Amino acid sequence: MKLLETHGLTAFYGDFQALFGIDLHVDEGETIAIVGANGAGKSTLMGAITGRRSAQREAITFDGKPIGGMKPAEIMARGIALVPEGRQLFPSLDVEENLLIGNYGRKVRGAWSLDAVYRLFPILKERRKQAATSLSGGQQQMVALGRALMSNPRLLLCDEISLGLAPAIIKDIYAALDAIRAEGASVMVVEQNIGQALAVSDRVYCLLEGRVTLTGRPEALSRDQISAAYFGGGR
């Protein structure tokens, strides 16, 4: 069953068009990866899906209902959560307060509670009263991921969650995604690291200059196909 779909999705920054007719879907329980170089339109796509970038109402559907152009809070209430690029933690709040913001004002029951997040990332329980932005980069990413989980999303969007992290930390973060999907969530991962994206996804979409240039299952795509789609070879 298709959980999220985009239909000819376009997006603009003023007069500049950033997305051109994007068609994609995410199935229930699936992990898809969105890959592409800087400026390919990956974060713009995430912004449109989460209501941070304007979109036509019918261009995005979630659980069969149009959500394009809705406010971010409305989209989150429907079951979509974002782990943003750069983490965007609140520097004046400690770890636990940052986590609790993910479920602020909502009565959502599901697999993910404060205790469940601490079981997933035990180091956060140890540091729960420490200022979130005083943690290491990897630990801050755990807070950002845990904050998103606190809303018990059906679809988790992860925007460049490995950016700037050491390989060992990246491995831990992506191992957590396996546990998250085991609890029933679908996952969309935006990545510049092609190898990482292919390793964790059921399907991959490659963007170039705001257009989908390649899609398929990782095992069915050759290195030459991916390189041409990523860098624009042969254009």
Side-chain angles (χ1 to χ4, degrees):
M1 176 182 173
K2 291 181 173 62
L3 181 61
L4 176 85
E5 293 184 86
T6 68
H7 317 271
L9 175 63
T10 60
F12 292 82
Y13 290 90
D15 294 331
F16 174 75
Q17 187 167 357
L19 296 179
F20 298 82
I22 301 295
D23 294 314
L24 60 77
H25 71 272
V26 185
D27 293 337
E28 292 268 13
E30 184 180 38
T31 296
I32 73 163
I34 310 294
V35 301
N38 283 334
K42 306 185 303 297
S43 292
T44 303
L45 173 62
M46 297 292 236
I49 292 170
T50 56
R52 291 161 174 79
R53 182 63 48 188
S54 63
Q56 292 184 324
R57 181 169 173 77
E58 301 292 335
I60 308 172
T61 58
F62 184 71
D63 204 17
K65 300 177 179 64
I67 62 168
M70 282 187 172
K71 295 178 180 179
E74 295 173 325
I75 291 173
M76 182 179 175
R78 287 178 179 245
I80 299 177
L82 173 68
V83 183
E85 182 180 359
R87 300 180 283 271
Q88 298 180 22
L89 303 180
F90 293 91
S92 61
L93 303 182
D94 64 28
V95 166
E96 191 159 295
E97 289 167 335
N98 268 277
L99 292 173
L100 290 171
I101 281 176
N103 198 26
Y104 179 76
R106 304 184 66 213
K107 296 179 180 179
V108 180
R109 293 184 178 181
W112 296 105
S113 62
L114 194 59
D115 286 342
V117 171
Y118 285 152
R119 285 195 295 273
L120 183 65
F121 299 123
I123 188 64
L124 298 187
K125 187 172 185 178
E126 295 177 22
R127 305 288 176 84
R128 63 187 182 277
K129 295 305 178 183
Q130 189 171 329
T133 52
S134 71
L135 302 181
S136 69
Q139 291 166 1
Q140 288 186 43
Q141 193 63 274
M142 293 173 188
V143 176
L145 185 52
R147 179 181 61 189
L149 291 176
M150 287 289 290
S151 69
N152 278 281
R154 295 179 63 193
L155 176 63
L156 179 69
L157 308 182
C158 300
D159 194 356
E160 302 285 12
I161 58 173
S162 68
L163 193 64
L165 301 182
I169 300 300
I170 294 171
K171 183 179 179 180
D172 290 343
I173 293 291
Y174 272 97
L177 292 187
D178 290 337
I180 292 163
R181 193 166 73 164
E183 293 292 350
S186 301
V187 180
M188 179 186 289
V189 176
V190 162
E191 265 290 352
Q192 287 189 53
N193 185 323
I194 297 174
Q196 184 67 65
L198 296 178
V200 303
S201 62
D202 298 305
R203 290 184 300 112
V204 61
Y205 290 87
C206 187
L207 297 188
L208 177 68
E209 296 177 357
R211 295 176 172 86
V212 175
T213 51
L214 182 69
T215 184
R217 295 193 173 277
E219 65 271 17
L221 302 176
S222 70
R223 286 183 174 272
D224 287 345
Q225 284 177 302
I226 295 169
S227 179
Y230 192 100
F231 297 109
R235 294 184 62 191

PDB file of all heavy atoms in Angstrom, residues 66-105:
ATOM      1  N   PRO A  66      -5.004  14.349   0.197  1.00  0.00           N
ATOM      2  CA  PRO A  66      -4.092  15.421  -0.213  1.00  0.00           C
ATOM      3  C   PRO A  66      -3.597  16.233   0.973  1.00  0.00           C
ATOM      4  O   PRO A  66      -4.371  16.599   1.853  1.00  0.00           O
ATOM      5  CB  PRO A  66      -4.954  16.276  -1.143  1.00  0.00           C
ATOM      6  CG  PRO A  66      -6.370  16.004  -0.740  1.00  0.00           C
ATOM      7  CD  PRO A  66      -6.391  14.588  -0.262  1.00  0.00           C
ATOM      8  N   ILE A  67      -2.288  16.520   0.982  1.00  0.00           N
ATOM      9  CA  ILE A  67      -1.700  17.313   2.072  1.00  0.00           C
ATOM     10  C   ILE A  67      -0.848  18.462   1.548  1.00  0.00           C
ATOM     11  O   ILE A  67      -0.250  19.195   2.330  1.00  0.00           O
ATOM     12  CB  ILE A  67      -0.843  16.440   3.011  1.00  0.00           C
ATOM     13  CG1 ILE A  67       0.351  15.819   2.261  1.00  0.00           C
ATOM     14  CG2 ILE A  67      -1.688  15.363   3.689  1.00  0.00           C
ATOM     15  CD1 ILE A  67       1.389  15.197   3.185  1.00  0.00           C
ATOM     16  N   GLY A  68      -0.760  18.626   0.225  1.00  0.00           N
ATOM     17  CA  GLY A  68       0.074  19.688  -0.330  1.00  0.00           C
ATOM     18  C   GLY A  68      -0.347  21.050   0.178  1.00  0.00           C
ATOM     19  O   GLY A  68      -1.531  21.390   0.167  1.00  0.00           O
ATOM     20  N   GLY A  69       0.615  21.842   0.642  1.00  0.00           N
ATOM     21  CA  GLY A  69       0.330  23.199   1.095  1.00  0.00           C
ATOM     22  C   GLY A  69      -0.212  23.308   2.500  1.00  0.00           C
ATOM     23  O   GLY A  69      -0.483  24.410   2.980  1.00  0.00           O
ATOM     24  N   MET A  70      -0.395  22.192   3.192  1.00  0.00           N
ATOM     25  CA  MET A  70      -0.829  22.261   4.588  1.00  0.00           C
ATOM     26  C   MET A  70       0.279  22.849   5.465  1.00  0.00           C
ATOM     27  O   MET A  70       1.448  22.840   5.104  1.00  0.00           O
ATOM     28  CB  MET A  70      -1.180  20.862   5.112  1.00  0.00           C
ATOM     29  CG  MET A  70      -2.512  20.335   4.689  1.00  0.00           C
ATOM     30  SD  MET A  70      -2.859  18.765   5.550  1.00  0.00           S
ATOM     31  CE  MET A  70      -4.561  18.512   5.044  1.00  0.00           C
ATOM     32  N   LYS A  71      -0.109  23.314   6.647  1.00  0.00           N
ATOM     33  CA  LYS A  71       0.866  23.822   7.595  1.00  0.00           C
ATOM     34  C   LYS A  71       1.677  22.666   8.179  1.00  0.00           C
ATOM     35  O   LYS A  71       1.167  21.545   8.324  1.00  0.00           O
ATOM     36  CB  LYS A  71       0.170  24.591   8.716  1.00  0.00           C
ATOM     37  CG  LYS A  71      -0.525  25.862   8.244  1.00  0.00           C
ATOM     38  CD  LYS A  71      -1.227  26.558   9.387  1.00  0.00           C
ATOM     39  CE  LYS A  71      -1.925  27.834   8.912  1.00  0.00           C
ATOM     40  NZ  LYS A  71      -2.643  28.514  10.018  1.00  0.00           N
ATOM     41  N   PRO A  72       2.950  22.925   8.531  1.00  0.00           N
ATOM     42  CA  PRO A  72       3.788  21.854   9.082  1.00  0.00           C
ATOM     43  C   PRO A  72       3.163  21.130  10.267  1.00  0.00           C
ATOM     44  O   PRO A  72       3.259  19.903  10.365  1.00  0.00           O
ATOM     45  CB  PRO A  72       5.068  22.587   9.478  1.00  0.00           C
ATOM     46  CG  PRO A  72       5.152  23.731   8.520  1.00  0.00           C
ATOM     47  CD  PRO A  72       3.723  24.173   8.316  1.00  0.00           C
ATOM     48  N   ALA A  73       2.509  21.857  11.162  1.00  0.00           N
ATOM     49  CA  ALA A  73       1.909  21.216  12.340  1.00  0.00           C
ATOM     50  C   ALA A  73       0.787  20.270  11.940  1.00  0.00           C
ATOM     51  O   ALA A  73       0.605  19.209  12.556  1.00  0.00           O
ATOM     52  CB  ALA A  73       1.390  22.277  13.308  1.00  0.00           C
ATOM     53  N   GLU A  74       0.024  20.638  10.918  1.00  0.00           N
ATOM     54  CA  GLU A  74      -1.057  19.769  10.449  1.00  0.00           C
ATOM     55  C   GLU A  74      -0.499  18.492   9.828  1.00  0.00           C
ATOM     56  O   GLU A  74      -1.044  17.400  10.028  1.00  0.00           O
ATOM     57  CB  GLU A  74      -1.918  20.518   9.429  1.00  0.00           C
ATOM     58  CG  GLU A  74      -2.670  21.705   9.995  1.00  0.00           C
ATOM     59  CD  GLU A  74      -3.381  22.507   8.931  1.00  0.00           C
ATOM     60  OE1 GLU A  74      -2.856  22.633   7.804  1.00  0.00           O
ATOM     61  OE2 GLU A  74      -4.476  23.019   9.224  1.00  0.00           O
ATOM     62  N   ILE A  75       0.586  18.641   9.076  1.00  0.00           N
ATOM     63  CA  ILE A  75       1.197  17.474   8.436  1.00  0.00           C
ATOM     64  C   ILE A  75       1.807  16.558   9.492  1.00  0.00           C
ATOM     65  O   ILE A  75       1.673  15.330   9.425  1.00  0.00           O
ATOM     66  CB  ILE A  75       2.240  17.938   7.403  1.00  0.00           C
ATOM     67  CG1 ILE A  75       1.518  18.610   6.225  1.00  0.00           C
ATOM     68  CG2 ILE A  75       3.085  16.770   6.913  1.00  0.00           C
ATOM     69  CD1 ILE A  75       2.430  19.266   5.224  1.00  0.00           C
ATOM     70  N   MET A  76       2.452  17.138  10.480  1.00  0.00           N
ATOM     71  CA  MET A  76       3.015  16.337  11.568  1.00  0.00           C
ATOM     72  C   MET A  76       1.913  15.573  12.290  1.00  0.00           C
ATOM     73  O   MET A  76       2.081  14.397  12.647  1.00  0.00           O
ATOM     74  CB  MET A  76       3.764  17.240  12.546  1.00  0.00           C
ATOM     75  CG  MET A  76       4.427  16.488  13.680  1.00  0.00           C
ATOM     76  SD  MET A  76       5.310  17.630  14.773  1.00  0.00           S
ATOM     77  CE  MET A  76       5.840  16.505  16.057  1.00  0.00           C
ATOM     78  N   ALA A  77       0.758  16.226  12.513  1.00  0.00           N
ATOM     79  CA  ALA A  77      -0.352  15.575  13.208  1.00  0.00           C
ATOM     80  C   ALA A  77      -0.891  14.386  12.429  1.00  0.00           C
ATOM     81  O   ALA A  77      -1.450  13.450  13.017  1.00  0.00           O
ATOM     82  CB  ALA A  77      -1.466  16.586  13.454  1.00  0.00           C
ATOM     83  N   ARG A  78      -0.709  14.397  11.124  1.00  0.00           N
ATOM     84  CA  ARG A  78      -1.171  13.279  10.299  1.00  0.00           C
ATOM     85  C   ARG A  78      -0.209  12.101  10.321  1.00  0.00           C
ATOM     86  O   ARG A  78      -0.550  11.023   9.864  1.00  0.00           O
ATOM     87  CB  ARG A  78      -1.397  13.753   8.866  1.00  0.00           C
ATOM     88  CG  ARG A  78      -2.648  14.622   8.744  1.00  0.00           C
ATOM     89  CD  ARG A  78      -2.854  15.133   7.343  1.00  0.00           C
ATOM     90  NE  ARG A  78      -4.058  15.932   7.270  1.00  0.00           N
ATOM     91  CZ  ARG A  78      -5.139  15.599   6.557  1.00  0.00           C
ATOM     92  NH1 ARG A  78      -5.143  14.477   5.863  1.00  0.00           N
ATOM     93  NH2 ARG A  78      -6.202  16.387   6.527  1.00  0.00           N
ATOM     94  N   GLY A  79       1.026  12.344  10.812  1.00  0.00           N
ATOM     95  CA  GLY A  79       1.938  11.220  10.978  1.00  0.00           C
ATOM     96  C   GLY A  79       3.231  11.304  10.199  1.00  0.00           C
ATOM     97  O   GLY A  79       3.860  10.274   9.935  1.00  0.00           O
ATOM     98  N   ILE A  80       3.675  12.515   9.849  1.00  0.00           N
ATOM     99  CA  ILE A  80       4.955  12.697   9.163  1.00  0.00           C
ATOM    100  C   ILE A  80       5.871  13.523  10.062  1.00  0.00           C
ATOM    101  O   ILE A  80       5.494  14.586  10.533  1.00  0.00           O
ATOM    102  CB  ILE A  80       4.776  13.412   7.808  1.00  0.00           C
ATOM    103  CG1 ILE A  80       3.885  12.593   6.884  1.00  0.00           C
ATOM    104  CG2 ILE A  80       6.132  13.663   7.147  1.00  0.00           C
ATOM    105  CD1 ILE A  80       3.596  13.267   5.546  1.00  0.00           C
ATOM    106  N   ALA A  81       7.074  13.027  10.310  1.00  0.00           N
ATOM    107  CA  ALA A  81       8.040  13.753  11.140  1.00  0.00           C
ATOM    108  C   ALA A  81       9.348  13.900  10.385  1.00  0.00           C
ATOM    109  O   ALA A  81       9.741  13.023   9.615  1.00  0.00           O
ATOM    110  CB  ALA A  81       8.274  13.026  12.457  1.00  0.00           C
ATOM    111  N   LEU A  82      10.019  15.011  10.632  1.00  0.00           N
ATOM    112  CA  LEU A  82      11.267  15.347   9.940  1.00  0.00           C
ATOM    113  C   LEU A  82      12.430  15.414  10.917  1.00  0.00           C
ATOM    114  O   LEU A  82      12.330  16.050  11.966  1.00  0.00           O
ATOM    115  CB  LEU A  82      11.122  16.696   9.229  1.00  0.00           C
ATOM    116  CG  LEU A  82      12.387  17.282   8.595  1.00  0.00           C
ATOM    117  CD1 LEU A  82      12.831  16.433   7.396  1.00  0.00           C
ATOM    118  CD2 LEU A  82      12.159  18.737   8.170  1.00  0.00           C
ATOM    119  N   VAL A  83      13.530  14.763  10.555  1.00  0.00           N
ATOM    120  CA  VAL A  83      14.822  14.983  11.208  1.00  0.00           C
ATOM    121  C   VAL A  83      15.582  15.932  10.286  1.00  0.00           C
ATOM    122  O   VAL A  83      16.078  15.521   9.236  1.00  0.00           O
ATOM    123  CB  VAL A  83      15.606  13.667  11.399  1.00  0.00           C
ATOM    124  CG1 VAL A  83      16.909  13.937  12.150  1.00  0.00           C
ATOM    125  CG2 VAL A  83      14.769  12.630  12.122  1.00  0.00           C
ATOM    126  N   PRO A  84      15.653  17.225  10.622  1.00  0.00           N
ATOM    127  CA  PRO A  84      16.153  18.207   9.658  1.00  0.00           C
ATOM    128  C   PRO A  84      17.667  18.186   9.505  1.00  0.00           C
ATOM    129  O   PRO A  84      18.397  17.784  10.423  1.00  0.00           O
ATOM    130  CB  PRO A  84      15.691  19.536  10.261  1.00  0.00           C
ATOM    131  CG  PRO A  84      15.667  19.287  11.730  1.00  0.00           C
ATOM    132  CD  PRO A  84      15.225  17.848  11.892  1.00  0.00           C
ATOM    133  N   GLU A  85      18.111  18.619   8.355  1.00  0.00           N
ATOM    134  CA  GLU A  85      19.543  18.807   8.149  1.00  0.00           C
ATOM    135  C   GLU A  85      20.064  19.823   9.162  1.00  0.00           C
ATOM    136  O   GLU A  85      19.437  20.871   9.388  1.00  0.00           O
ATOM    137  CB  GLU A  85      19.812  19.302   6.726  1.00  0.00           C
ATOM    138  CG  GLU A  85      21.279  19.486   6.407  1.00  0.00           C
ATOM    139  CD  GLU A  85      21.526  19.974   4.995  1.00  0.00           C
ATOM    140  OE1 GLU A  85      20.556  20.158   4.237  1.00  0.00           O
ATOM    141  OE2 GLU A  85      22.705  20.183   4.654  1.00  0.00           O
ATOM    142  N   GLY A  86      21.185  19.521   9.783  1.00  0.00           N
ATOM    143  CA  GLY A  86      21.740  20.433  10.783  1.00  0.00           C
ATOM    144  C   GLY A  86      21.141  20.283  12.163  1.00  0.00           C
ATOM    145  O   GLY A  86      21.486  21.039  13.081  1.00  0.00           O
ATOM    146  N   ARG A  87      20.187  19.351  12.319  1.00  0.00           N
ATOM    147  CA  ARG A  87      19.608  18.957  13.604  1.00  0.00           C
ATOM    148  C   ARG A  87      18.644  19.974  14.194  1.00  0.00           C
ATOM    149  O   ARG A  87      17.604  19.629  14.710  1.00  0.00           O
ATOM    150  CB  ARG A  87      20.702  18.600  14.617  1.00  0.00           C
ATOM    151  CG  ARG A  87      21.578  17.447  14.127  1.00  0.00           C
ATOM    152  CD  ARG A  87      22.652  17.099  15.109  1.00  0.00           C
ATOM    153  NE  ARG A  87      23.776  18.010  15.119  1.00  0.00           N
ATOM    154  CZ  ARG A  87      24.842  17.879  14.348  1.00  0.00           C
ATOM    155  NH1 ARG A  87      24.931  16.887  13.480  1.00  0.00           N
ATOM    156  NH2 ARG A  87      25.842  18.719  14.424  1.00  0.00           N
ATOM    157  N   GLN A  88      19.010  21.270  14.208  1.00  0.00           N
ATOM    158  CA  GLN A  88      18.124  22.341  14.672  1.00  0.00           C
ATOM    159  C   GLN A  88      17.580  22.085  16.076  1.00  0.00           C
ATOM    160  O   GLN A  88      16.386  22.176  16.329  1.00  0.00           O
ATOM    161  CB  GLN A  88      16.987  22.548  13.659  1.00  0.00           C
ATOM    162  CG  GLN A  88      17.474  22.981  12.280  1.00  0.00           C
ATOM    163  CD  GLN A  88      16.360  23.191  11.286  1.00  0.00           C
ATOM    164  OE1 GLN A  88      15.208  23.420  11.660  1.00  0.00           O
ATOM    165  NE2 GLN A  88      16.687  23.137  10.004  1.00  0.00           N
ATOM    166  N   LEU A  89      18.476  21.777  16.994  1.00  0.00           N
ATOM    167  CA  LEU A  89      18.096  21.611  18.391  1.00  0.00           C
ATOM    168  C   LEU A  89      17.948  22.975  19.062  1.00  0.00           C
ATOM    169  O   LEU A  89      18.475  23.981  18.587  1.00  0.00           O
ATOM    170  CB  LEU A  89      19.149  20.779  19.123  1.00  0.00           C
ATOM    171  CG  LEU A  89      19.435  19.388  18.550  1.00  0.00           C
ATOM    172  CD1 LEU A  89      20.497  18.691  19.383  1.00  0.00           C
ATOM    173  CD2 LEU A  89      18.179  18.554  18.462  1.00  0.00           C
ATOM    174  N   PHE A  90      17.255  22.985  20.189  1.00  0.00           N
ATOM    175  CA  PHE A  90      17.065  24.227  20.935  1.00  0.00           C
ATOM    176  C   PHE A  90      18.215  24.376  21.938  1.00  0.00           C
ATOM    177  O   PHE A  90      18.303  23.607  22.906  1.00  0.00           O
ATOM    178  CB  PHE A  90      15.724  24.217  21.657  1.00  0.00           C
ATOM    179  CG  PHE A  90      14.547  24.257  20.730  1.00  0.00           C
ATOM    180  CD1 PHE A  90      13.977  23.085  20.274  1.00  0.00           C
ATOM    181  CD2 PHE A  90      14.033  25.470  20.294  1.00  0.00           C
ATOM    182  CE1 PHE A  90      12.896  23.102  19.408  1.00  0.00           C
ATOM    183  CE2 PHE A  90      12.950  25.500  19.425  1.00  0.00           C
ATOM    184  CZ  PHE A  90      12.375  24.319  18.972  1.00  0.00           C
ATOM    185  N   PRO A  91      19.100  25.358  21.747  1.00  0.00           N
ATOM    186  CA  PRO A  91      20.296  25.462  22.595  1.00  0.00           C
ATOM    187  C   PRO A  91      20.000  25.789  24.046  1.00  0.00           C
ATOM    188  O   PRO A  91      20.816  25.492  24.922  1.00  0.00           O
ATOM    189  CB  PRO A  91      21.107  26.578  21.926  1.00  0.00           C
ATOM    190  CG  PRO A  91      20.116  27.367  21.131  1.00  0.00           C
ATOM    191  CD  PRO A  91      19.077  26.381  20.688  1.00  0.00           C
ATOM    192  N   SER A  92      18.842  26.394  24.328  1.00  0.00           N
ATOM    193  CA  SER A  92      18.525  26.767  25.709  1.00  0.00           C
ATOM    194  C   SER A  92      17.898  25.621  26.494  1.00  0.00           C
ATOM    195  O   SER A  92      17.650  25.761  27.694  1.00  0.00           O
ATOM    196  CB  SER A  92      17.569  27.967  25.716  1.00  0.00           C
ATOM    197  OG  SER A  92      16.347  27.634  25.068  1.00  0.00           O
ATOM    198  N   LEU A  93      17.661  24.484  25.836  1.00  0.00           N
ATOM    199  CA  LEU A  93      16.987  23.360  26.483  1.00  0.00           C
ATOM    200  C   LEU A  93      17.943  22.175  26.635  1.00  0.00           C
ATOM    201  O   LEU A  93      18.849  21.997  25.825  1.00  0.00           O
ATOM    202  CB  LEU A  93      15.768  22.925  25.665  1.00  0.00           C
ATOM    203  CG  LEU A  93      14.706  23.988  25.392  1.00  0.00           C
ATOM    204  CD1 LEU A  93      13.556  23.378  24.606  1.00  0.00           C
ATOM    205  CD2 LEU A  93      14.208  24.613  26.684  1.00  0.00           C
ATOM    206  N   ASP A  94      17.694  21.367  27.652  1.00  0.00           N
ATOM    207  CA  ASP A  94      18.516  20.183  27.825  1.00  0.00           C
ATOM    208  C   ASP A  94      18.026  19.063  26.909  1.00  0.00           C
ATOM    209  O   ASP A  94      17.052  19.217  26.156  1.00  0.00           O
ATOM    210  CB  ASP A  94      18.571  19.752  29.294  1.00  0.00           C
ATOM    211  CG  ASP A  94      17.228  19.321  29.884  1.00  0.00           C
ATOM    212  OD1 ASP A  94      16.363  18.835  29.127  1.00  0.00           O
ATOM    213  OD2 ASP A  94      17.040  19.473  31.108  1.00  0.00           O
ATOM    214  N   VAL A  95      18.704  17.933  26.972  1.00  0.00           N
ATOM    215  CA  VAL A  95      18.391  16.817  26.071  1.00  0.00           C
ATOM    216  C   VAL A  95      16.938  16.380  26.221  1.00  0.00           C
ATOM    217  O   VAL A  95      16.201  16.242  25.234  1.00  0.00           O
ATOM    218  CB  VAL A  95      19.343  15.634  26.356  1.00  0.00           C
ATOM    219  CG1 VAL A  95      18.848  14.360  25.689  1.00  0.00           C
ATOM    220  CG2 VAL A  95      20.757  15.979  25.902  1.00  0.00           C
ATOM    221  N   GLU A  96      16.515  16.158  27.458  1.00  0.00           N
ATOM    222  CA  GLU A  96      15.161  15.655  27.674  1.00  0.00           C
ATOM    223  C   GLU A  96      14.110  16.664  27.228  1.00  0.00           C
ATOM    224  O   GLU A  96      13.085  16.283  26.643  1.00  0.00           O
ATOM    225  CB  GLU A  96      14.965  15.288  29.141  1.00  0.00           C
ATOM    226  CG  GLU A  96      13.687  14.513  29.401  1.00  0.00           C
ATOM    227  CD  GLU A  96      13.739  13.732  30.701  1.00  0.00           C
ATOM    228  OE1 GLU A  96      14.567  12.786  30.810  1.00  0.00           O
ATOM    229  OE2 GLU A  96      12.952  14.065  31.607  1.00  0.00           O
ATOM    230  N   GLU A  97      14.342  17.928  27.468  1.00  0.00           N
ATOM    231  CA  GLU A  97      13.387  18.944  27.029  1.00  0.00           C
ATOM    232  C   GLU A  97      13.290  18.982  25.511  1.00  0.00           C
ATOM    233  O   GLU A  97      12.189  19.142  24.952  1.00  0.00           O
ATOM    234  CB  GLU A  97      13.801  20.313  27.585  1.00  0.00           C
ATOM    235  CG  GLU A  97      13.603  20.442  29.085  1.00  0.00           C
ATOM    236  CD  GLU A  97      14.301  21.650  29.672  1.00  0.00           C
ATOM    237  OE1 GLU A  97      15.293  22.127  29.084  1.00  0.00           O
ATOM    238  OE2 GLU A  97      13.857  22.114  30.743  1.00  0.00           O
ATOM    239  N   ASN A  98      14.408  18.836  24.820  1.00  0.00           N
ATOM    240  CA  ASN A  98      14.376  18.779  23.357  1.00  0.00           C
ATOM    241  C   ASN A  98      13.571  17.578  22.877  1.00  0.00           C
ATOM    242  O   ASN A  98      12.804  17.684  21.917  1.00  0.00           O
ATOM    243  CB  ASN A  98      15.795  18.724  22.792  1.00  0.00           C
ATOM    244  CG  ASN A  98      16.364  20.081  22.465  1.00  0.00           C
ATOM    245  OD1 ASN A  98      16.115  20.655  21.408  1.00  0.00           O
ATOM    246  ND2 ASN A  98      17.124  20.639  23.401  1.00  0.00           N
ATOM    247  N   LEU A  99      13.744  16.436  23.530  1.00  0.00           N
ATOM    248  CA  LEU A  99      12.992  15.251  23.144  1.00  0.00           C
ATOM    249  C   LEU A  99      11.491  15.449  23.359  1.00  0.00           C
ATOM    250  O   LEU A  99      10.681  15.105  22.490  1.00  0.00           O
ATOM    251  CB  LEU A  99      13.471  14.042  23.944  1.00  0.00           C
ATOM    252  CG  LEU A  99      14.890  13.540  23.642  1.00  0.00           C
ATOM    253  CD1 LEU A  99      15.286  12.458  24.640  1.00  0.00           C
ATOM    254  CD2 LEU A  99      15.000  13.033  22.215  1.00  0.00           C
ATOM    255  N   LEU A 100      11.127  16.008  24.490  1.00  0.00           N
ATOM    256  CA  LEU A 100       9.713  16.167  24.826  1.00  0.00           C
ATOM    257  C   LEU A 100       8.990  17.120  23.881  1.00  0.00           C
ATOM    258  O   LEU A 100       7.773  17.004  23.687  1.00  0.00           O
ATOM    259  CB  LEU A 100       9.568  16.640  26.271  1.00  0.00           C
ATOM    260  CG  LEU A 100       9.933  15.589  27.333  1.00  0.00           C
ATOM    261  CD1 LEU A 100       9.966  16.222  28.715  1.00  0.00           C
ATOM    262  CD2 LEU A 100       8.950  14.430  27.300  1.00  0.00           C
ATOM    263  N   ILE A 101       9.725  18.034  23.274  1.00  0.00           N
ATOM    264  CA  ILE A 101       9.110  18.945  22.308  1.00  0.00           C
ATOM    265  C   ILE A 101       8.503  18.170  21.144  1.00  0.00           C
ATOM    266  O   ILE A 101       7.500  18.589  20.548  1.00  0.00           O
ATOM    267  CB  ILE A 101      10.149  19.973  21.810  1.00  0.00           C
ATOM    268  CG1 ILE A 101      10.314  21.071  22.855  1.00  0.00           C
ATOM    269  CG2 ILE A 101       9.743  20.583  20.468  1.00  0.00           C
ATOM    270  CD1 ILE A 101      11.368  22.079  22.535  1.00  0.00           C
ATOM    271  N   GLY A 102       9.072  16.995  20.842  1.00  0.00           N
ATOM    272  CA  GLY A 102       8.550  16.203  19.741  1.00  0.00           C
ATOM    273  C   GLY A 102       7.123  15.746  19.931  1.00  0.00           C
ATOM    274  O   GLY A 102       6.436  15.412  18.959  1.00  0.00           O
ATOM    275  N   ASN A 103       6.650  15.725  21.168  1.00  0.00           N
ATOM    276  CA  ASN A 103       5.269  15.322  21.434  1.00  0.00           C
ATOM    277  C   ASN A 103       4.511  16.395  22.204  1.00  0.00           C
ATOM    278  O   ASN A 103       3.500  16.116  22.846  1.00  0.00           O
ATOM    279  CB  ASN A 103       5.252  14.008  22.233  1.00  0.00           C
ATOM    280  CG  ASN A 103       3.895  13.320  22.174  1.00  0.00           C
ATOM    281  OD1 ASN A 103       3.142  13.508  21.228  1.00  0.00           O
ATOM    282  ND2 ASN A 103       3.582  12.539  23.183  1.00  0.00           N
ATOM    283  N   TYR A 104       4.990  17.621  22.114  1.00  0.00           N
ATOM    284  CA  TYR A 104       4.389  18.724  22.886  1.00  0.00           C
ATOM    285  C   TYR A 104       2.949  18.986  22.423  1.00  0.00           C
ATOM    286  O   TYR A 104       2.679  19.164  21.230  1.00  0.00           O
ATOM    287  CB  TYR A 104       5.215  19.994  22.726  1.00  0.00           C
ATOM    288  CG  TYR A 104       4.651  21.173  23.479  1.00  0.00           C
ATOM    289  CD1 TYR A 104       4.796  21.264  24.860  1.00  0.00           C
ATOM    290  CD2 TYR A 104       3.958  22.184  22.830  1.00  0.00           C
ATOM    291  CE1 TYR A 104       4.276  22.328  25.580  1.00  0.00           C
ATOM    292  CE2 TYR A 104       3.428  23.265  23.527  1.00  0.00           C
ATOM    293  CZ  TYR A 104       3.591  23.329  24.903  1.00  0.00           C
ATOM    294  OH  TYR A 104       3.074  24.384  25.599  1.00  0.00           O
ATOM    295  N   GLY A 105       2.039  18.997  23.381  1.00  0.00           N
ATOM    296  CA  GLY A 105       0.650  19.331  23.073  1.00  0.00           C
ATOM    297  C   GLY A 105      -0.110  18.250  22.344  1.00  0.00           C
ATOM    298  O   GLY A 105      -1.238  18.468  21.903  1.00  0.00           O
TER     299      GLY A 105
END
